[in-house]
Amino acid sequence: MAQNKEALALVVDIGTGMSEAAPGYDSPLQIASDILQMIVQRKMFQESKDELALILYGADESNNDLADEDNYRNINVVFPLSPANWHLFEEIQKIKPSNNPADLVDAIVVAADHLRRETEGKHGFAAKRVMLFSNAATTFNDHSLKTILDSLRRQDIIVDAIGPTWGQQDEEEDDNEENNHPGAPMDMNGHANGDENSDANRPTTNGHQQRTPKKPLTHQQQTGIRVIGEIVNTTDGTLFTFREALTILSVHQAKLVKPTATKYIMQLADLKLHICTYIQVKDNKPAIFRLKKVYARDPTTEIKVDRGRYTKDEQDQEIEKEELTDGFRYGTTFVPINKETLDEMKYQSEKCFAIIAFSDANMMRRSLYLGDTVYEVISEPGFEEEAQAFAGLVQAMYETNTVAIVRKCFSERSAPEIGFLRPHIAHDHICMYYIKLPFAEDLREFEFDNLNITKRNQPNEEQLKCIDNLITTMDLTHADRGGEEAFRPEVVFNPYVQRMFQSIARRAVTPDEPLSLSNTIMEMNDTLLRSVASKSKRVLNTIYEKFGLRDTDRRQKITTGDALFGNVDSSTKRRLDENENVKEPTADSTTAPADSGSFESQAAAKKKAALRNVGTLTPVEDFKLLIEQGSPSFSEVSKQMCNIILELVHNSHGDALFEKAFQCLQCLRETCINKLEPKVFNDLEILLKRQASTMDGRKDFWQKIIDEKFSLITSEECVESNVIPVEANKFLEEEAPVENINNAGTTNEQDGDDEDLFDLI
């Protein structure tokens, strides 16, 4: 039988010294009780095979095998050595302080004797350990200490001790002190011990606040600490403070799984090598989440599931399982597939691990990694010559930056998969990592626009510098205490898993109280998170200023009249083309939808579908509708709008049509800004200014534009504009020629646009 269990005796001092506490602080006994509960919870959640015993010294009873009238008094074995369960958890909750004297050395002797008796003749125990909880305030007799230490060494019993302090600087004063303890857990959590938001200062599963007051050590405590330290050092144990123990135990761990090797024969042409694969990284799916149904009134009652199958008709006839067969839907038909056919349909393969090609390591993009598992591949022990060949292959791949493409099949009943082997050499450890790759059916190829083509998508130097500063301020490489890396993957735990463990533990302890848990993983690291956030806040504000955001209209799906109402006859189409505005098309009665709505809604839908040009009756509504439909193109619709504006201005009797023309001009300006097409509007306004200076009777409309300060679209309003605000203001104030405006340069293209606009008049 494998040696994979530990025998652990939990020895707790419940004397007077452990129950004393200043107002507003938890007593050492209360903190020790919480630590004991955490230990038991962890053992149960891990489904550990370790066996635990609970021994109290200073108790009213003397329940132990060594007790007589004069020796080993007030030492009570409350829970004999056995696997952790909720009975032990309940016994820990019942611990109460006592005033009886007890010897801590005698308690260690009783614990060692209990471990010897309970493990004698049993197999599977890899270690025996005594864990002492005390503040060293009780008296003791150390006359036989040397003999006791020799006995502990012979039995290979390790003694650990957990207490408020072990002669170090007080916990309230060592906030910034480096913990040099070899098993110091503070490297795991990324913040100083004394922070008020640290793990040790947060409520435990039971809601107790873990704080210990600053208090000088008495002479008895100093002597007790010296003796406990001698016992711990002699047995190769460890001293933990309450804070260190709480930090270690604040994180729940799932069941520990023993690594199991999967053996293959790796084939490379005619070369065959015996290899073993081990799971290196895998998505953790704890068994605790596979909850079972229980009877609420009596959870111990066994529930039996009885399934029945019935026809879905009036007869409601029961169907036997033997009468059922699998079927696949093929169109509207179900194709029955019996077991024999199903077996023949399966892909036939055989167990293999074959290298089929080699490739450059740079070809293995991270986006091609598939699956949730990474395997470590090593040479199988016992094959020395093959191990040398395996090491040579890894070394050659490492030096040439090459990966091996592999065809892998776990068994004859498994589907084959393709993956690659990446060489890994660290110190004297040589291995390869296997990562699954996708087949052609697994790939999803998408084509996106190239952001580098559009000028407005190019960041400037200031924007690039802002992003560089953000990366620097949020860099975790040296963000942890002492300049170490923060949030290392091996010490960052899944908050979803931790919350589940805490919830189950709280519900088991206090079934009627709400799950007001605060000791989550994010809160355990909130000091570091706040530090990183504060450093990057100023940079983020700068980025917010440098990277302006604006809303843009998205083109909606074009819905044509043909798609909505069927075919439109040729006469109707001809009439729509002849008319400038909208008229209802005559649809064939046979093509009308069966479940049509009201007459008004149909008329509105037909009008919308038949609209092709901007009319003079409702030009703003027509323009917005055509832009929304996306057909015709924006350039065509904008030319139509320019034509309408010029027509309204020149055909107006006095200023009768100026208001409608100005509304059209406003609508065109807003749309050009949203569509990032400022040149269309700017060209029109330049043309209006020219005409106002050359044609009689139109200066009053240009004066209306000046009064409304309705100038050119500037670069502040639209990134595509070349007009700066100063030039836009001068454009309205000056009566000089407008050729000096940036957006109205005397280029052939501009002249052509002006001619097009004149042609629209």
Side-chain angles (χ1 to χ4, degrees):
M1 184 176 179
Q3 303 285 325
N4 57 0
K5 292 195 300 183
E6 181 182 60
L8 176 62
L10 304 173
V11 182
V12 185
D13 180 4
I14 61 173
T16 306
M18 289 286 286
S19 61
E20 296 177 352
Y25 291 90
D26 290 326
S27 66
L29 182 59
Q30 181 59 65
I31 300 176
S33 177
D34 290 338
I35 294 175
L36 289 169
Q37 293 179 41
M38 290 180 178
I39 293 174
V40 176
Q41 289 174 9
R42 173 173 289 202
K43 295 294 183 183
M44 289 191 294
F45 283 133
Q46 290 178 342
E47 300 180 25
S48 174
K49 297 181 180 179
D50 296 345
E51 298 187 10
L52 287 73
L54 178 61
I55 301 173
L56 307 179
Y57 70 95
D60 296 332
E61 301 178 4
S62 300
N63 180 22
N64 65 81
D65 295 328
L66 300 179
D68 55 26
E69 294 182 358
D70 299 323
N71 300 313
Y72 304 104
R73 304 293 300 173
N74 303 118
I75 301 175
N76 185 15
V77 180
V78 177
F79 186 84
L81 193 69
S82 60
N85 53 41
W86 286 111
H87 177 61
L88 173 59
F89 195 89
E90 293 172 354
E91 291 293 338
I92 294 174
Q93 290 184 302
K94 296 178 183 178
I95 294 178
K96 295 181 180 180
S98 173
N99 297 324
N100 299 309
D103 192 320
L104 69 88
V105 177
D106 288 348
I108 295 175
V109 172
V110 170
D113 179 73
H114 183 73
L115 293 179
R116 180 187 62 80
R117 293 173 184 270
E118 295 296 328
T119 59
E120 193 172 14
K122 297 181 181 179
H123 301 283
F125 289 98
K128 290 178 286 186
R129 187 183 300 271
V130 174
M131 186 168 290
L132 176 67
F133 294 81
S134 176
N135 63 348
T138 58
T139 58
F140 58 89
N141 186 350
D142 60 347
H143 296 311
S144 304
L145 184 59
K146 187 175 184 305
T147 304
I148 295 172
L149 293 177
D150 292 339
S151 176
L152 292 174
R153 281 197 299 265
R154 286 195 304 270
Q155 299 179 61
D156 294 326
I157 295 178
I158 301 173
V159 179
D160 297 325
I162 300 177
T165 180
W166 299 113
Q168 305 157 343
Q169 188 178 4
D170 191 88
E171 290 181 312
E172 294 294 323
E173 298 177 349
D174 64 356
D175 293 347
N176 300 319
E177 180 181 334
E178 285 290 328
N179 193 339
N180 297 321
H181 193 281
M186 298 314 293
D187 293 339
M188 298 171 52
N189 292 280
H191 48 72
N193 287 348
D195 187 81
E196 63 180 1
N197 294 312
S198 65
D199 304 338
N201 289 330
R202 284 199 184 84
T204 63
T205 303
N206 298 327
H208 296 107
Q209 192 76 17
Q210 308 299 351
R211 297 182 301 167
T212 52
K214 180 180 178 181
K215 186 178 179 180
L217 297 176
T218 64
H219 177 71
Q220 177 61 42
Q221 284 181 304
Q222 294 176 358
T223 305
I225 289 174
R226 178 183 58 78
V227 173
I228 293 175
E230 182 178 356
I231 296 174
V232 170
N233 294 331
T234 303
T235 59
D236 297 327
T238 308
L239 291 171
F240 294 98
T241 63
F242 283 154
R243 175 168 293 159
E244 292 172 343
L246 288 167
T247 305
I248 295 173
L249 297 170
S250 62
V251 176
H252 293 278
Q253 290 184 346
K255 179 181 179 181
L256 300 178
V257 181
K258 181 181 179 181
T260 303
T262 303
K263 298 181 180 180
Y264 294 94
I265 296 179
M266 185 170 68
Q267 297 179 357
L268 175 58
D270 296 333
L271 179 63
K272 295 183 178 181
L273 303 176
H274 289 76
I275 61 172
C276 296
T277 63
Y278 292 89
I279 295 177
Q280 179 73 14
V281 179
K282 185 176 178 62
D283 185 19
N284 183 30
K285 299 174 183 177
I288 194 67
F289 299 140
R290 294 196 290 269
L291 303 177
K292 297 181 179 180
K293 299 291 184 182
V294 297
Y295 183 45
R297 296 183 179 179
D298 186 7
T300 60
T301 303
E302 182 180 359
I303 298 178
K304 295 183 180 180
V305 179
D306 186 15
R307 293 185 176 90
R309 300 163 183 84
Y310 299 87
T311 57
K312 194 175 182 180
D313 53 20
E314 296 179 356
Q315 298 179 358
D316 199 21
Q317 183 180 356
E318 185 175 3
I319 303 174
E320 298 295 333
K321 184 178 180 181
E322 292 75 13
E323 300 179 12
L324 298 176
T325 185
D326 294 328
F328 293 89
R329 183 185 292 275
Y330 185 71
T332 58
T333 306
F334 282 98
V335 180
I337 304 293
N338 55 33
K339 188 178 183 302
E340 293 75 14
T341 306
L342 201 59
D343 293 338
E344 293 177 359
M345 290 171 57
K346 292 181 179 179
Y347 181 84
Q348 301 296 325
S349 183
E350 61 181 6
K351 185 174 183 178
C352 70
F353 198 97
I355 297 178
I356 57 178
F358 291 93
S359 177
D360 189 350
N362 297 327
M363 298 293 292
M364 298 298 108
R365 304 190 306 272
R366 183 64 182 84
S367 58
L368 296 177
Y369 292 9
L370 195 65
D372 61 352
T373 308
V374 177
Y375 294 93
E376 181 175 334
V377 182
I378 62 173
S379 178
E380 183 178 348
F383 296 87
E384 299 297 335
E385 295 181 357
E386 294 183 6
Q388 296 179 4
F390 180 85
L393 176 63
V394 175
Q395 185 70 33
M397 293 172 58
Y398 185 84
E399 293 176 354
T400 58
N401 194 29
T402 304
V403 296
I405 309 300
V406 176
R407 181 185 187 273
K408 173 178 171 289
C409 191
F410 180 73
S411 66
E412 296 179 354
R413 297 176 295 177
S414 302
E417 62 182 48
I418 189 172
F420 73 94
L421 291 172
R422 183 183 296 276
H424 177 74
I425 299 178
H427 304 293
D428 58 346
H429 181 61
I430 296 178
C431 69
M432 287 191 282
Y433 291 129
Y434 172 83
I435 302 172
K436 186 179 178 181
L437 289 174
F439 288 106
E441 295 85 351
D442 302 323
L443 292 174
R444 301 290 185 271
E445 296 293 344
F446 301 101
E447 294 184 1
F448 300 101
D449 295 337
N450 189 349
L451 297 178
N452 295 327
I453 294 178
T454 307
K455 180 181 178 181
R456 63 174 178 268
N457 292 330
Q458 299 297 319
N460 55 40
E461 292 297 329
E462 293 184 358
Q463 291 174 330
L464 291 174
K465 186 176 180 180
C466 288
I467 300 300
D468 289 339
N469 293 337
L470 179 64
I471 295 174
T472 302
T473 55
M474 300 189 71
D475 186 10
L476 300 178
T477 306
H478 305 290
D480 202 353
R481 184 172 59 89
E484 298 180 357
E485 180 182 356
F487 295 109
R488 288 176 290 130
E490 59 269 20
V491 296
V492 176
F493 296 90
N494 188 338
Y496 183 79
V497 177
Q498 297 301 313
R499 172 73 182 188
M500 176 62 76
F501 282 137
Q502 292 176 358
S503 299
I504 294 175
R506 171 62 70 85
R507 181 57 67 235
V509 177
T510 55
D512 298 328
E513 295 183 5
L515 293 175
S516 56
L517 302 176
S518 60
N519 194 11
T520 61
I521 292 300
M522 294 305 295
E523 290 176 341
M524 289 162 55
N525 297 282
D526 58 359
T527 302
L528 178 58
L529 292 174
R530 287 199 304 268
S531 174
V532 174
S534 62
K535 292 179 181 178
S536 58
K537 183 177 181 179
R538 184 171 58 86
V539 180
L540 289 172
N541 292 335
T542 306
I543 290 177
Y544 180 78
E545 297 174 357
K546 299 297 182 182
F547 292 85
L549 300 178
R550 58 175 56 87
D551 294 333
T552 57
D553 293 336
R554 293 181 177 269
R555 288 187 177 183
Q556 298 184 358
K557 184 178 180 181
I558 302 173
T559 305
T560 63
D562 291 346
L564 284 175
F565 307 105
N567 297 326
V568 181
D569 57 23
S570 59
S571 63
T572 303
K573 291 183 178 179
R574 191 162 50 251
R575 184 166 64 254
L576 292 173
D577 294 336
E578 292 173 355
N579 290 324
E580 177 187 75
N581 211 336
V582 178
K583 291 186 179 181
E584 293 184 12
T586 304
D588 204 0
S589 60
T590 58
T591 61
D595 51 349
S596 58
S598 64
F599 174 78
E600 292 79 5
S601 62
Q602 292 185 41
K606 291 180 180 179
K607 179 180 178 180
K608 179 178 178 181
L611 184 64
R612 292 293 182 271
N613 299 311
V614 179
T616 57
L617 185 61
T618 56
V620 174
E621 290 77 3
D622 296 346
F623 179 73
K624 290 181 178 179
L625 186 58
L626 290 172
I627 292 296
E628 179 182 350
Q629 291 178 349
S631 177
S633 64
F634 174 78
S635 60
E636 179 64 26
V637 178
S638 61
K639 284 184 178 181
Q640 294 180 21
M641 192 61 165
C642 293
N643 181 24
I644 294 297
I645 294 173
L646 294 173
E647 183 177 343
L648 292 172
V649 172
H650 293 294
N651 294 341
S652 176
H653 295 283
D655 60 353
L657 299 178
F658 282 1
E659 186 63 31
K660 178 181 286 189
F662 191 77
Q663 292 176 1
C664 294
L665 198 63
Q666 285 180 315
C667 179
L668 179 64
R669 192 178 195 275
E670 294 174 359
T671 305
C672 289
I673 293 175
N674 293 333
K675 294 293 183 181
L676 301 179
E677 295 288 349
K679 190 174 184 298
V680 174
F681 175 82
N682 290 349
D683 289 346
L684 175 63
E685 194 161 46
I686 291 172
L687 181 59
L688 290 172
K689 183 176 182 179
R690 286 177 177 174
Q691 292 181 355
S693 62
T694 58
M695 299 179 63
D696 294 335
R698 303 303 92 183
K699 291 184 178 181
D700 46 358
F701 182 74
W702 179 250
Q703 186 60 42
K704 181 178 178 61
I705 294 177
I706 296 176
D707 294 341
E708 296 291 339
K709 296 182 180 180
F710 209 66
S711 186
L712 303 173
I713 298 175
T714 65
S715 58
E716 292 185 353
E717 298 173 287
C718 182
V719 294
E720 293 296 324
S721 176
N722 296 325
V723 180
I724 62 177
V726 176
E727 293 175 336
N729 294 332
K730 291 175 62 178
F731 176 75
L732 294 178
E733 297 172 358
E734 294 180 352
E735 296 184 359
V738 295
E739 285 78 4
N740 295 331
I741 302 299
N742 287 348
N743 220 20
T746 57
T747 62
N748 293 332
E749 180 183 358
Q750 179 65 50
D751 293 340
D753 292 337
D754 291 346
E755 292 176 1
D756 291 340
L757 291 174
F758 278 117
D759 292 339
L760 294 176
I761 303 175

